[in-house]
Amino acid sequence: MTYSIFVLSLKIMVIVVMTVVAVYMVRHLIFTLNRLFSKQRHPYLDIDTAEWPAVTVVIPAHNEEAVIGTALQALLAVDYPLERFNIFVIDDRSNDATWEIIKAYESEHPDIITGFHRTEGTPGKAAALEDISELISSEIMIVFDADYIPGRGLIKQLAAPFFDAEIGAVMGRVVPHNTQTNLLTRLLDLERAAGYQVDQQARMNLHLVPQYGGSVGGVRLSALREVGGWRANAYAEDTDLTYRLLLRGFKTAYENRCECYEEVPEVWQERNRQIMRWAKGHNQVAIRYALRTVLSKRVRLMERLDALLLLGVYFTAPLLITGFFAAAILYMLGEPVFGSSAWILAGFVSFGTLGNFAAFYQLAAATHLDNSGKRIRLLPLNFLNFLVSLVNVSRASASLIFSDYLLDRELRWEKTSRYRNRAKGEEL
Amino acid sequence: MTNRPSWRLIDRLRHASHSGRVISRHRALRTLDFRPASILHPIVLMLLSYVGLTLGLQTIAEFWEFILIHTLPPLVHTTGIFQHETTVLGVIPAAVPYPAVSASVPSTQNLLIAAVASLSLMACAYIFLRGRTLPLGYLVWAICLLQLVACSVFYFFGSRFPHTLASHVADGFSYTLNLLFICPLVLAVTYFIFDIPLLQKILGTACVLLSLILVTPFQYLIHIGVIHHTSLVAMPALYIFFGLLFNIAVLIAIFGWCISWKQ
């Protein structure tokens, strides 16, 4: 009897996971075909001459001496009316030369750059943004990470969608610039390409829920204040904001044409920390807003569905691991589901393995559209990236539930390391 | 009546510079043109693949049998190669070869050795596979964890393990045949839809299918060698990580290579 119940529960687990996998496979396929063949939605692309709104670019910085100078130089060179453009740089308790660099730029460009030295309050990007938002008087707030290098036309491209009153946030495309460093950076480049070039743009085309990513993006201050401002206790303040805006009736616009360069992690340990932070943040948002999203009458049905599937992405990892071992045990006991455990195992792995939350066909579509076809030869090695993500996302999910919620631990925000100007081969 | 230029000409002119060269669209705006070929290529190539595979089913099985006959004897003692009747996708009858080889049921000593070996490997992976080789460490841990689960299942439910070495090989070949027949459908929505020359698609399809056909017998040769000389305890890890998963990895690798060809 115990054995039968054990086998039955394993079979139910496998069927549930197979269903989830199938749903995400279909979703990714629809996005890929839409991105490849459908009319692409770029409603704000041609806005070139306008009464541009006042914009404040905000850069939270913690120990960013390697990169902050380059970011500020690039921002000073952007094409935007100077009288409507401000840069606020927040040094959040750095113990390197970040504040000195900021002060130097501020003294050279006092009309444009204002530096803030944050020495108390909750640590982290969200808390820094929360503090600074109260001081901003412009209509639009654009957030950049300190390692980003914006192009000349980027600010106008990001500001343009805000002429549409429905738009609460805007997100551009993040492109890694340190892709040639090693295998990890190349794999992350693939991952980013699929996520932005295919996934985000397809969601924009289909009037679904493009995600505000917290950098290379802007927020309408009035909308931000209406939904309660930045949340300092959020691991992923960007995803959190996307859903609060959505529930309030604001849309997020994705601008595929707005490309900005970033650094991706160059060592696996750093990648682990990054993916764990994203997973915790995403799952935290899922716990907070999934039910409200389902019940919201302001959000269209398809948007609700997409929003829920987006929230579920980081839950698939622990599900996959559980389903994988369940199917493996059923194989060993000679109790296959649907005739063959091999297919189930292969199904799990085909979906997630060869795509790392972006299926292999999304990666292929992205590299094809980017006209950089040779990158796709790394596809089989993406299994390694997937394996690392699978384990660390599962760790993060477990940590969020058992450590943060059950044990009621305080949020601890860890920033990503920077590699620019670091000597090659130096141990990190 | 005035002569109006065609829309195709206008569209071409929009993307031409003053010297007549093409202004390529920014990658953010790029799409594939939906032409008749976008539908015809997937349908025709898929049908051709299925016809080829159906007609070549026997040849594939004979090739696998040929490999087994000529490579098995130095590896293991076998009394012959037999045929296992199966169906591909539950519809097309086929026969796959399998060798009459056996593997012992793991004893408690076998299980202990396997468990200790797995734990040792995990420890070594934890200590040595860090930094750049961290993902390999994760892979080793995944395989070893599965091996430990297998040891536990054999220890507690050993009598329920229904698979023999012969059935393992037969099942493996059968799954590969099924995978071969799924390939054209997968390629139809992931490869044939691209704006790639037809000849390139045909070559690419041939590469994908041939790679699976060529790799499979050697893959199961290794399985036979390892399982026969250790015991059935090695079967789950080989089945799961080096069975269909490996075949799919080969498929994806060749797919990635084919789609990267210069057009």
Side-chain angles (χ1 to χ4, degrees):
Chain A
M1 178 72 169
T2 316
Y3 175 79
S4 306
I5 294 171
F6 175 61
V7 168
L8 182 63
S9 51
L10 288 178
K11 286 186 177 182
I12 291 171
M13 167 58 71
V14 167
I15 291 169
V16 164
V17 177
M18 275 181 70
T19 309
V20 168
V21 165
V23 166
Y24 277 100
M25 272 180 72
V26 168
R27 174 180 184 254
H28 285 153
L29 191 59
I30 290 172
F31 284 172
T32 305
L33 294 175
N34 173 275
R35 178 62 189 89
L36 287 174
F37 292 109
S38 295
K39 190 166 161 21
Q40 303 300 296
R41 209 173 138 239
H42 299 276
Y44 317 108
L45 198 64
D46 294 326
I47 299 174
D48 189 55
T49 306
E51 193 71 33
W52 292 101
V55 160
T56 303
V57 171
V58 176
I59 308 177
H62 173 70
N63 291 342
E64 305 281 13
E65 62 175 1
V67 298
I68 188 70
T70 317
L72 289 173
Q73 267 179 297
L75 280 168
L76 287 167
V78 299
D79 172 25
Y80 203 83
L82 281 179
E83 67 279 11
R84 291 169 181 242
F85 183 61
N86 268 304
I87 305 171
F88 282 9
V89 195
I90 315 160
D91 169 42
D92 192 11
R93 277 167 288 209
S94 300
N95 47 28
D96 62 359
T98 302
W99 180 232
E100 283 70 35
I101 297 172
I102 293 170
K103 277 198 300 189
Y105 273 92
E106 187 183 13
S107 63
E108 264 182 68
H109 307 276
D111 296 336
I112 300 173
I113 298 178
T114 310
F116 295 90
H117 193 49
R118 205 166 166 259
T119 54
E120 51 191 27
T122 313
K125 184 177 170 183
L129 292 174
E130 193 184 21
D131 286 348
I132 210 69
S133 298
E134 292 162 18
L135 304 174
I136 296 174
S137 56
S138 65
E139 210 173 316
I140 311 295
M141 174 182 179
I142 292 180
V143 181
F144 280 118
D145 282 351
D147 64 324
Y148 281 35
I149 308 173
R152 284 199 78 233
L154 192 72
I155 303 299
K156 277 187 179 174
Q157 287 168 345
L158 288 174
F162 290 104
F163 288 116
D164 181 349
E166 205 179 31
I167 298 299
V170 168
M171 180 66 193
R173 179 178 174 178
V174 171
V175 179
H177 68 76
N178 56 335
T179 58
Q180 300 304 308
T181 305
N182 53 32
L183 176 63
L184 172 59
T185 59
R186 288 183 173 88
L187 292 176
L188 293 179
D189 177 39
L190 269 183
E191 180 188 292
R192 298 283 196 274
Y196 286 102
Q197 174 72 289
V198 177
D199 216 66
Q200 285 271 69
Q201 182 59 45
R203 301 219 289 275
M204 182 69 181
N205 294 342
L206 293 167
H207 298 263
L208 297 175
V209 185
Q211 195 180 345
Y212 171 64
S215 193
V216 195
V219 182
R220 190 189 298 276
L221 259 298
S222 55
L224 178 68
R225 286 171 185 140
E226 207 178 309
V227 300
W230 298 101
R231 259 217 166 133
N233 65 351
Y235 281 106
E237 77 288 341
D238 43 11
T239 311
D240 193 274
L241 183 61
T242 305
Y243 279 80
R244 280 188 285 135
L245 288 171
L246 178 71
L247 291 169
R248 202 57 164 204
F250 290 102
K251 307 289 182 211
T252 299
Y254 172 66
E255 292 281 286
N256 202 20
R257 181 67 182 83
C258 297
E259 294 185 4
C260 191
Y261 296 94
E262 67 151 359
E263 271 190 359
V264 288
E266 294 182 355
V267 293
W268 286 102
Q269 287 82 354
E270 195 56 50
R271 166 60 177 173
N272 291 352
R273 281 195 284 273
Q274 185 185 61
I275 196 82
M276 284 182 70
R277 193 172 68 245
W278 289 354
K280 268 192 171 180
H282 232 81
N283 291 344
Q284 189 185 47
V285 172
I287 292 167
R288 282 177 179 168
Y289 300 113
L291 188 60
R292 283 170 61 182
T293 305
V294 167
L295 299 174
S296 171
K297 291 192 174 19
R298 263 201 180 118
V299 182
R300 292 181 302 113
L301 179 63
M302 292 311 293
E303 280 179 319
R304 271 185 264 173
L305 185 61
D306 183 53
L308 285 174
L309 287 174
L310 183 58
L311 287 178
V313 161
Y314 285 97
F315 281 120
T316 58
L319 261 184
L320 275 175
I321 290 181
T322 317
F324 179 85
F325 279 101
I329 293 171
L330 285 171
Y331 155 78
M332 289 182 237
L333 296 175
E335 302 270 0
V337 177
F338 299 141
S340 168
S341 297
W343 290 109
I344 292 135
L345 294 173
F348 291 154
V349 174
S350 304
F351 159 68
T353 295
L354 306 162
N356 191 41
F357 309 119
F360 70 92
Y361 39 86
Q362 272 192 323
L363 293 169
T367 53
H368 192 81
L369 291 169
D370 281 349
N371 209 19
S372 56
K374 286 207 165 60
R375 289 191 287 169
I376 200 64
R377 292 179 185 180
L378 293 172
L379 201 48
L381 295 175
N382 211 37
F383 172 74
L384 300 174
N385 194 12
F386 168 75
L387 197 56
V388 170
S389 298
L390 192 73
V391 170
N392 287 289
V393 167
S394 303
R395 279 175 62 195
S397 304
S399 167
L400 181 72
I401 291 168
F402 296 113
S403 183
D404 293 6
Y405 285 155
L406 278 176
L407 298 179
D408 202 19
R409 267 192 12 198
E410 242 183 59
L411 177 146
R412 229 185 43 184
W413 188 85
E414 289 179 28
K415 72 174 291 310
T416 310
S417 298
R418 304 293 177 218
Y419 306 93
R420 215 175 301 159
N421 302 331
R422 205 184 283 274
K424 294 268 182 228
E426 188 180 312
E427 281 297 316
L428 294 160
Chain B
M1 191 186 296
T2 53
N3 258 341
R4 287 154 113 202
S6 70
W7 285 112
R8 272 188 187 266
L9 177 61
I10 291 172
D11 204 45
R12 263 211 309 273
L13 289 171
R14 284 176 70 197
H15 297 290
S17 71
H18 69 278
S19 57
R21 283 182 286 193
V22 173
I23 304 169
S24 70
R25 201 172 278 190
H26 189 277
R27 61 184 180 177
L29 309 173
R30 205 173 286 149
T31 55
L32 301 184
D33 289 334
F34 192 79
R35 299 188 174 120
S38 306
I39 297 264
L40 283 175
H41 278 194
I43 293 174
V44 168
L45 288 171
M46 202 167 61
L47 287 173
L48 279 177
S49 302
Y50 279 126
V51 166
L53 281 170
T54 308
L55 293 175
L57 252 183
Q58 195 174 345
T59 312
I60 294 169
E62 283 170 5
F63 169 70
W64 289 345
E65 189 178 347
F66 174 84
I67 297 291
L68 287 180
I69 288 170
H70 288 87
T71 53
L72 258 183
L75 214 64
V76 297
H77 171 70
T78 174
T79 53
I81 308 291
F82 299 94
Q83 299 292 315
H84 168 70
E85 302 289 330
T86 183
T87 51
V88 179
L89 300 180
V91 175
I92 306 168
V96 292
Y98 70 93
V101 286
S102 62
S104 55
V105 174
S107 62
T108 310
Q109 192 183 18
N110 289 143
L111 294 179
L112 194 60
I113 292 171
V116 168
S118 300
L119 288 168
S120 306
L121 263 175
M122 286 168 80
C124 289
Y126 183 77
I127 296 166
F128 297 112
L129 293 179
R130 295 176 158 269
R132 285 185 186 184
T133 52
L134 186 68
L136 289 176
Y138 279 49
L139 184 60
V140 168
W141 268 67
I143 297 170
C144 291
L145 269 172
L146 185 75
Q147 189 58 59
L148 287 171
V149 169
C151 290
S152 309
V153 170
F154 269 106
Y155 186 76
F156 292 108
F157 303 108
S159 58
R160 291 186 188 271
F161 190 77
H163 311 286
T164 63
L165 183 48
S167 71
H168 172 80
V169 176
D171 286 345
F173 282 138
S174 181
Y175 297 151
T176 306
L177 279 186
N178 281 280
L179 182 61
L180 279 168
F181 272 76
I182 287 174
C183 270
L185 182 62
V186 170
L187 290 174
V189 290
T190 61
Y191 181 47
F192 300 155
I193 53 172
F194 284 100
D195 51 351
I196 298 169
L198 182 62
L199 183 60
Q200 228 173 296
K201 289 178 188 174
I202 292 171
L203 275 174
T205 309
C207 284
V208 169
L209 298 176
L210 279 172
S211 65
L212 283 174
I213 294 167
L214 289 172
V215 159
T216 302
F218 298 100
Q219 173 190 358
Y220 282 96
L221 264 177
I222 295 173
H223 284 212
I224 292 167
V226 171
I227 296 170
H228 179 78
H229 289 107
T230 54
S231 70
L232 288 176
V233 79
M235 191 181 285
L238 284 170
Y239 173 86
I240 288 162
F241 280 100
F242 300 102
L244 206 51
L245 168 57
F246 178 75
N247 293 129
I248 291 173
V250 167
L251 187 166
I252 297 298
I254 304 296
F255 165 86
W257 176 60
C258 292
I259 210 164
S260 73
W261 289 345
K262 208 176 164 99
Q263 295 162 37

